[in-house]
Amino acid sequence: MTTTLDPVTRTQAYFDGGWHTAPRTFEVFHPGNGKSIGAVADCTADDARRAIDAAEVALREWRRVTGYDRGQVLRRWHDLMLEHKEPLARLMTLEMGKPITETRGEVHYAASFIEWCAEEASRIGGERIPTRLGNKRAFSSAEPVGIVYAVTPWNFPAGMITRKAAPALAAGCVMILKPAEQSPMTALYLAELWLEAGGPANTFQVLPTNDAPAFSAPFMDDPRVRKLTFTGSTAVGRLLYGQAARTMKRVSLELGGHAPFLVFEDADLERAVREVVSSKFRNAGQTCICTNRVYVQRSVAEEFTRLLAERTGSLTLGDPLLDSTRIGPVVEQAGLDKIQAQVKDALDRGAKALVGGQATGGLFFEPTVLTDVAPDSLILREETFGPVAPVVIFDTEEEALRLANDSEYGLAAYAFTNDLSRAWRVAEALEYGIVGINDGGPSNAAPNVPFGGMKNSGVGREGGHWGLEEYLEIKLISMGV
Ligand code: SIN
């Protein structure tokens, strides 16, 4: 049964036991047409302090609820999300422009993290450790870290929240969430569903703001906030990491990426093209793990590039609310400016656009394939977050690996080959937290795969037991007998 919830609460913040309007609001715009879809509460540092006080009280109770019972609430949250799939998907598309067929998929993706954690909650405990001394008994006890401050991005308005909130709440932590200012309503909708599912007051508080630095300051300074979890840019992640050190918070950081996609001459080319298109153009190229640069071996470069251009040229760019649309707008003008600057830079250095290459009005940019891209082009170094695939030719496996690893980032990498030995060699040599071998979408394999990066791509892992452990303190209890 689908419940009817008051849509007005999607513009109010949820904290300190209730829904609050704020003296100030900020507008959320639909990237598809630039129109406002609502004015949302703009929370302040004072609101943040109230939320922390309320979280402290909520934590005392929630950490005592059994894992089994916490799991039941999470299970109902999961079910409610699926019951609300269509309005949630539509809201996400309105907020940040991802095509509706993808946001429907995101509802399932986001709910899958909750489902896995709902099942796992009852298994959180500890273990008895055999001792060396006969007069001692030793146990490890897994306990919630405490109050968690979460900062989430707009590119997966539901998925990047539940990937954090589900393990935190399953572990017995309470969370205060600052959603991205481009997609706060989805976050508020999730808070409504959490309460509807029986989530106790103040266990999951959601406070939108348009002034992230001022709003975040109380969390970073308050020793009661024991953990920071952040998904976003490397620059902001680095700043928050430094601030979190002052009160020795636990941190999980999922930051930028610059994924290489290697196509060897022994690869199944049709498959490689299918997967690179899905990796590159999902969400108009606005994912941290999406392909940013394509490296193809010389003997198959012509054939591969022809197939890639053909398939890319057939992608429908348009209204993200239509089922037929494959690529929607990018989220905002700054994102479009960056894409245009990178494409212009590549063309100025001699690249050719086989398909696309132009903005088409509003926040739309054509799906693009570039060839003859000079090695010093910006697009081969900086995250693009747009629907542009630069193709570069290599000769040897050694060269491909050198090019692939020559990056400050280490989030995701892809390699296509039908040579089993090469597949292992390459998988082991790539300095990335996520490697897809003949797979352009490794994160959707299961909700419990580890997700996270090396180098400037972050700290820690989300997903599965690794993601859950990020919200648990392990205590040694040793008893003399
Ligand atoms: C991201 O890279 O932004 C998240 C992508 C995913 O979960 O697949």
Side-chain angles (χ1 to χ4, degrees):
M1 186 196 70
T2 302
T3 50
T4 335
L5 297 165
D6 181 0
V8 86
T9 55
R10 275 162 226 157
T11 59
Q12 296 178 333
Y14 174 73
F15 63 97
D16 193 12
W19 293 93
H20 299 277
T21 48
R24 279 191 330 212
T25 57
F26 64 95
E27 305 269 333
V28 179
F29 297 97
H30 175 42
N33 59 15
K35 292 196 177 139
S36 170
I37 56 170
V40 175
D42 188 3
C43 295
T44 63
D46 280 343
D47 300 328
R49 286 184 200 98
R50 277 176 67 185
I52 298 169
D53 290 345
E56 188 182 16
V57 177
L59 177 66
R60 278 183 217 133
E61 293 299 318
W62 184 243
R63 63 180 301 149
R64 281 203 213 100
V65 173
T66 63
Y68 178 84
D69 287 338
R70 290 198 298 264
Q72 298 293 310
V73 183
L74 281 155
R75 162 57 69 179
R76 287 195 293 275
W77 196 26
H78 160 270
D79 295 347
L80 279 170
M81 265 192 81
L82 295 187
E83 282 174 30
H84 288 251
K85 171 175 162 178
E86 204 54 34
L88 260 173
R90 201 181 143 75
L91 183 56
M92 284 192 266
T93 296
L94 282 172
E95 283 192 306
M96 49 68 69
K98 186 185 292 189
I100 187 86
T101 49
E102 285 190 44
T103 49
R104 285 190 192 117
E106 184 174 342
V107 176
H108 287 277
Y109 189 51
S112 74
F113 298 121
I114 302 177
E115 183 178 43
W116 191 86
C117 290
E119 289 166 1
E120 204 59 17
S122 61
R123 298 187 193 109
I124 299 168
E127 57 191 80
R128 178 167 172 185
I129 301 153
T131 52
R132 195 165 61 87
L133 301 174
N135 62 347
K136 291 198 180 208
R137 302 290 177 269
F139 299 85
S140 69
S141 170
E143 300 182 3
V145 163
I147 300 175
V148 179
Y149 178 46
V151 180
T152 52
W154 49 264
N155 64 341
F156 287 81
M160 295 307 103
I161 291 175
T162 56
R163 203 182 235 162
K164 298 176 188 316
L169 293 163
C173 296
V174 298
M175 177 170 278
I176 303 168
L177 168 68
K178 186 205 86 59
E181 56 270 31
Q182 295 86 346
S183 57
M185 294 181 185
T186 304
L188 295 166
Y189 200 151
L190 294 181
E192 282 181 74
L193 295 179
W194 170 251
L195 294 170
E196 176 88 0
N202 302 322
T203 47
F204 179 52
Q205 302 179 78
V206 177
L207 293 86
T209 183
N210 205 18
D211 184 358
F215 177 80
S216 288
F219 295 98
M220 305 318 291
D221 292 337
D222 196 319
R224 291 174 297 173
V225 178
R226 295 307 319 137
K227 179 168 173 87
L228 162 75
T229 175
F230 170 76
T231 296
S233 72
T234 296
V236 175
R238 186 174 282 125
L239 198 77
L240 291 172
Y241 200 7
Q243 293 173 359
R246 296 201 294 259
T247 48
M248 287 293 177
K249 297 186 201 312
R250 298 266 298 263
V251 292
S252 299
L253 303 171
E254 202 271 271
L255 309 177
H258 202 274
F261 191 106
L262 313 184
V263 183
F264 290 95
E265 58 195 359
D266 49 41
D268 173 342
L269 287 192
E270 292 276 350
R271 182 175 186 169
V273 169
R274 203 172 56 236
E275 297 287 314
V276 75
V277 165
S278 127
S279 159
K280 174 69 259 183
F281 297 107
R282 179 167 76 126
N283 197 10
Q286 301 170 110
T287 79
C288 306
I289 62 166
C290 76
T291 298
N292 215 116
R293 43 202 167 111
V294 183
Y295 296 107
V296 56
Q297 200 153 13
R298 192 172 299 278
S299 59
V300 293
E302 203 180 317
E303 170 74 348
F304 172 83
T305 317
R306 185 181 61 73
L307 291 171
L308 175 59
E310 231 169 69
R311 200 176 256 264
T312 303
S314 73
L315 300 172
T316 320
L317 176 72
D319 181 350
L321 287 162
L322 297 178
D323 278 5
S324 53
T325 293
R326 180 67 177 74
I327 305 204
V330 296
V331 74
E332 62 194 2
Q333 190 60 45
L336 185 66
D337 292 347
K338 185 173 184 194
I339 296 163
Q340 285 183 296
Q342 286 194 3
V343 169
K344 180 172 181 317
D345 170 79
L347 295 174
D348 287 350
R349 292 172 197 269
K352 295 187 190 68
L354 281 192
V355 278
Q358 301 291 332
T360 61
L363 293 172
F364 292 87
F365 195 89
E366 291 173 328
T368 297
V369 176
L370 300 177
T371 54
D372 299 328
V373 184
D376 51 353
S377 303
L378 287 178
I379 201 162
L380 297 182
R381 307 219 71 83
E382 292 180 4
E383 199 169 33
T384 305
F385 249 54
V388 185
V391 181
V392 173
I393 295 173
F394 69 86
D395 287 299
T396 64
E397 183 180 312
E398 193 189 3
E399 182 190 3
L401 286 170
R402 183 176 50 72
L403 291 168
N405 284 335
D406 181 18
S407 172
E408 61 172 304
Y409 296 109
L411 185 55
Y414 306 90
F416 279 65
T417 174
N418 276 338
D419 176 334
L420 206 51
S421 302
R422 169 175 278 159
W424 276 108
R425 272 198 310 275
V426 167
E428 287 170 5
L430 285 166
E431 295 160 5
Y432 289 83
I434 300 165
V435 175
I437 298 289
N438 297 330
D439 180 9
S443 60
N444 66 17
N448 49 324
V449 295
F451 188 98
M454 302 177 179
K455 302 199 254 180
N456 282 348
S457 288
V459 176
R461 293 293 179 270
E462 299 190 302
H465 68 83
W466 304 274
L468 197 53
E469 283 154 16
E470 301 274 352
Y471 297 94
L472 292 168
E473 290 282 10
I474 301 300
K475 183 183 283 178
L476 163 67
I477 300 179
S478 176
M479 186 186 288
V481 292

